[in-house]
Each structure stands twice: as structure tokens, then as C-alpha cells.
Amino acid sequence: MGEWTIGAVLDAIADTIPDRTMTVCGDRRSTFGESADRTRKLANFLAGNGLGAHRERNALERWECGQDRVALIMHNDLYPDMVIGCTKARTVPVNVNYHYTPREIQELLDYIAPRAVIYHRSLGAKFADVLPPASADLLVSIDDGSAAPELAGAVRLETALAQGDTEQPVTPSPDDLLMICTGGTTGRPKGVLWRQSDIYVSSMVGADHESAKEIQDGVRDGGASWFAVSPLMHAAGMWTAFSAVLHGIPVVLYDTAKSLDPRLVWETAEREKVGLMTMVGDAYAGPLVEELQRGSYDLYSLYAIGTGGAATNPKYQRALLELLPQLTLINGYGSSETGNMGFGHSQRGHQTDTFTLREGGLVLSEDYTRFLEPGEPEVGWVAREGRIPLGYFNDPDATRKTFPDVQGKRVVISGDRARVEPDGTLRLYGRDSLVVNTGGEKVFVEEVEEVLRAHPAIADALVVGRPSERWGEELVALVALRDGTDAGHEPLYDHCTSQLARFKAPKEFIVVDHVRRLGNGKADYRWAKTTATQRAMA
């Protein structure tokens, strides 16, 4: 069976159903034929400007990239087209979190060293002080209806596509890469290097197809639209959108240039007769449930809601199943490194709290020496074999640590703790590293602590997560002040947001006499978490 590139799959589908709607975002509707043509022209434009592959995969180490990178600083509109257009040019699309501050964006761009940046115009204005990065030859601007001025030297997307009508001699390979930047789970963001063919099979529910006819036969009948409410700049959102698109199913994209509007979400689901909808944990579920309880919507077509990227409170899950009795709730599990790895399905009167593993899913013993069998009591590490990433961009040490060989199998170790239930499902216990998942955004607490400790009034600080109905988890800082100083919530919050994305700023600052540390000098996070939780209950 043959491996496929994502662009080739789209083209095979477009040859069969060119007039079927592929994406809907705000006022823009694109058919499969239009998107295939748009991606072709973008690829020609990039290739015509000298971007592409310069070293083939077989000449590279697992952490090396022989292709030019293209940073995508984008809302959801046209996101799938830009990703696929980049891959057709043999360049590597890289997701960039537009919630970051300019300082954080600059650090990320210095790391990935893109040759081009594609951005929505309002985001270009937000990051004007750090664009273009020194590595970039091209800036491509997408009109998002904002009044923001164009960045100097930027090419409008319409102009780029017009220049891309001349065909370029480019033949993409299944070995070509996509880079998924992590949310900082193991420290600063890392670029996870996925072969196109592997991410298509592992996370977009693809396959090694015998022929284009096999793809085309599978898409003729179509199906109800899917609705990706979450941002495609996060892996979970992108996997949802591409799983639909690459099966010939129309996908509705929430216009993330606007803040979350629960009423607009349900009105869109009703209007587009959506079959499946995806969201990110409590930050979405809470407001959506409240609006569903207030309003009246005809959602007869909605058969499933998927949630991933953050845990969803059981009370919201129960409410959705009561309000929409026909619904199946799908809790997804995965990460940038493991791909789309498992699902838990709940229906009215029957909720599950474990995950059915997809192909390659494993649990590794705590000492990394063997794989656990169903029913073993040991809590080990979630792992996966088979279609997994090559490694971390430009980081051989982290690649060897996270993608080791165990008992003759190359695996990825996620950092999550779990065991295998007797029925073979995965019971997840949580991440071992110091990460707080707040509203679907992963925050490495040591980064926040570093910023806090730089404040002149703070002698020491620890940051932890505590349960939150709104965010799943919220960040709380415990701070010890220097003698003779004072610092209130607003000055500390402003200090954090001046250097970090707003979602990384603690929701509360608790002043303590001293920050507890263990005998070896390491932070006593158990004490910190207990203190923060008790404060919320007081």
C-alpha cells in the first residue's frame, strides 16, 4: 500500500467533488475545487520564490529539517488552505500561538527560523515590532477585515495567488514534514517533526491508500458538516478540521478573530446542520451549556460533540447529554508528540472515564523497561509506537529522551501517567511534569515563576494550578515579599502580562510569609497546591 501526501489526498477529492463545500468560516465559503486551486497557486508562489526542500529525509538525522519553514500566525479563516499550500511547495507549515506576547513570538520565531510568515492582517499589527524575523524573505498578509495597516514589504495573499498561476516543478514526498509547536509542556515550546504520511494516518484518520480511486470512492456520499469551534493553531483543532476535509466532509470553522460567542456557535450549528462539533474543555463547555439552557435551538442534526486539549468537567458533560439526548460525547486524548491517540464515548445514562486506544497506543512501565499488560496495577507512562514523530527540531538530546527504543520498538513517551484497565482501555492519571492546562492552553509554571521572581517586591514565588469551573484549572501564585515592600493583585498581574501571554498570568496572588522548599532546595509544590486550594474553599 502506498503512502500519501496531504496535498495529493485533497487533489484526489477535488477531482471527484469539486463543487462540494469544503470550508465555511464567517462569510467565506470555499469548495474543494477552489481550495485545491488556491493551495496549488500558493505552492507555486512559494516555490517560485526559492522556498522548498534542500536536503532529503534520508540524509538527515531525526531532529533535522531539510525544508524551509513557514510560520502561520493565523486565525481559523483559510488555515487549512495555507497548511496544504505550504506542503505542496515542500515547505513546512508551523503553527504559532497568536495569544503569545511579542517577546514570546520573537523567541519562537528565532527558534523555528522561518523563511516566510503568513499572517492575518490584525495579527501582523499586533506583532509588528517583531516581524519579519531575520530569517524571513517573505511576508504574506491575509485580509481579515481589520483596519490595520500592511507591514512594510508584505505581499497580499491575493497578489501571491495571482503570481502563483505559473506551475513550478515540485513533487512533494510523504517524507516531507509538518511541524507542530507544543504548548510548552516540557518547558519552552518545541517543534515536533511529523512526516506528512504519519500524521495523516495517526491523527487525521487516514490510511495508506492503494490508489486515488480508493480515496474517491470513499468521499462520494459525503456526510453532515463538522464544526471546529476551537483554534486550528492548536493540534487538536487542526486534526479535527483535517479529519473532515480529507474525508470529503465539509468543515465549519469558528471565526477565531472574534471572541467566543456561545449564541453564535449554536446559531451556526443550527444553520449549517452540523453533525459533529469539537471544543476545548470547560472554557468552551461552560458558556455553551449556559447558552443552551437559556436559548432555543434546533440541533436535530448534531449527533456528537468532541472535546480535547483540556479536560471537561463531568457536570458539563452531564448537562450536554441531558439537553441533547441524541448526543454522543467524545473525549479525545493525545498530544503534539503522540498524535490523536484515544477516545472515550459517553451517552445519556452511560458515561465513561477511560480511553479506547488507537493503533500503537501503549503504557510503558515506570522504569522504562517493558510494556504493561491489561489489568496490571502499575501506573506507568503513556507511550505510542508506529506512526509517531521523528523527533524535536534541532534538539538531539530531547529527541533521544522522548523518542527512545524500548524492547526493539521506537516509541514516543508522552509524560502522562496511566495504567491499562483489564478491558484494555487507558485510565489516565495526569501529566507528571509541572504544567497547568488552563482553558486548553498549557502553561509551564517555571516560566511564570521566573517572571514573578524578577519583580522587585518579590523574594520568592511558586505557581500552581487549582480546579476552576470556568477554566478547568486556573493559575495561582504564592509569593513571598521582600521586607518593607508591598504588591497588590493589579501590579503583579500587569507585570506578568507585560512579558507573558494573558492566559499565563495567575488569577490570584497569595502572599505567604515564605515559600516552602524541600531539603534539597526544590520547590514544595504539594504544599503550594494545598495552600492554593484551601484558599479557594475559605
Side-chain angles (χ1 to χ4, degrees), residues 58-370:
N58 59 11
L60 298 167
E61 298 284 359
R62 287 186 290 145
W63 52 85
E64 293 181 317
C65 177
Q67 303 166 249
D68 292 318
R69 275 80 62 198
V70 179
L72 304 182
I73 309 178
M74 292 179 60
H75 293 295
N76 279 352
D77 184 32
L78 290 178
Y79 202 99
D81 288 14
M82 298 302 100
V83 169
I84 296 173
C86 288
T87 65
K88 285 185 174 182
R90 302 198 72 191
T91 61
V92 182
V94 186
N95 61 315
V96 175
N97 190 334
Y98 52 75
H99 290 310
Y100 285 168
T101 64
R103 178 184 69 84
E104 292 165 313
I105 291 288
Q106 183 174 27
E107 289 178 357
L108 184 58
L109 295 179
D110 287 345
Y111 166 57
I112 64 177
R115 284 279 307 279
V117 179
I118 301 177
Y119 63 94
H120 276 112
R121 190 173 303 155
S122 61
L123 296 176
K126 178 179 179 181
F127 301 115
D129 290 345
V130 299
L131 291 176
S135 60
D137 302 322
L138 283 175
L139 290 177
V140 179
S141 168
I142 303 174
D143 183 9
D144 56 6
S146 75
E150 292 284 3
L151 297 181
V155 178
R156 295 191 178 196
L157 179 62
E158 294 80 5
T159 302
L161 297 179
Q163 294 177 8
D165 210 24
T166 302
E167 297 300 322
Q168 299 292 321
V170 178
T171 304
S173 164
D175 281 334
D176 291 346
L177 301 177
L178 269 73
M179 185 187 297
I180 306 294
C181 282
T182 68
T185 293
T186 53
R188 303 285 182 177
K190 292 184 175 65
V192 183
L193 300 180
W194 281 91
R195 294 177 64 250
Q196 269 192 66
S197 176
D198 289 336
I199 201 169
Y200 171 55
V201 173
S202 74
S203 299
M204 301 169 185
V205 202
D208 292 329
H209 305 289
E210 292 280 4
S211 65
K213 183 177 184 300
E214 180 182 308
I215 299 171
Q216 293 164 338
D217 288 346
V219 303
R220 294 185 195 281
D221 295 336
S225 299
W226 290 14
F227 188 4
V229 183
S230 51
L232 269 61
M233 67 168 179
H234 289 317
M238 188 178 77
W239 293 336
T240 295
F242 277 71
S243 294
V245 164
L246 299 178
H247 285 79
I249 296 171
V251 61
V252 180
L253 307 173
Y254 186 78
D255 184 2
T256 50
K258 305 170 183 175
S259 59
L260 180 67
D261 181 343
R263 182 177 178 180
L264 178 59
V265 170
W266 292 125
E267 287 176 346
T268 302
E270 181 181 50
R271 182 187 70 242
E272 300 296 333
K273 299 179 174 58
V274 167
L276 180 146
M277 190 170 92
T278 60
M279 60 184 185
V280 181
D282 291 349
Y284 287 65
L288 289 172
V289 165
E290 291 173 7
E291 175 59 30
L292 201 54
Q293 290 169 333
R294 280 193 302 264
S296 177
Y297 301 93
D298 186 356
L299 300 169
Y300 71 92
S301 62
L302 187 64
Y303 61 83
I305 291 180
T307 179
T312 301
N313 193 303
K315 74 175 184 180
Y316 294 134
Q317 297 190 44
R318 288 192 296 270
L320 287 168
L321 293 171
E322 288 299 319
L323 292 162
L324 300 168
Q326 81 278 13
L327 199 68
T328 296
L329 265 177
I330 306 170
N331 285 310
Y333 169 63
S335 68
S336 302
E337 291 91 345
T338 65
N340 194 338
M341 191 165 166
F343 298 97
H345 295 80
S346 295
Q347 295 177 318
R348 192 177 186 182
H350 178 69
Q351 289 185 249
T352 59
D353 58 359
T354 61
F355 298 91
T356 300
L357 288 169
R358 296 191 63 210
E359 184 177 359
L362 302 161
V363 176
L364 186 63
S365 63
E366 189 170 9
D367 62 4
Y368 287 25
T369 61
R370 64 187 185 89

Side-chain angles (χ1 to χ4, degrees), residues 354-357 361 363 373-375 419-427:
T354 61
F355 298 91
T356 300
L357 288 169
V363 176
E373 297 293 332
R419 64 184 174 90
V420 188
E421 294 290 279
D423 63 0
T425 60
L426 183 80
R427 181 168 299 281

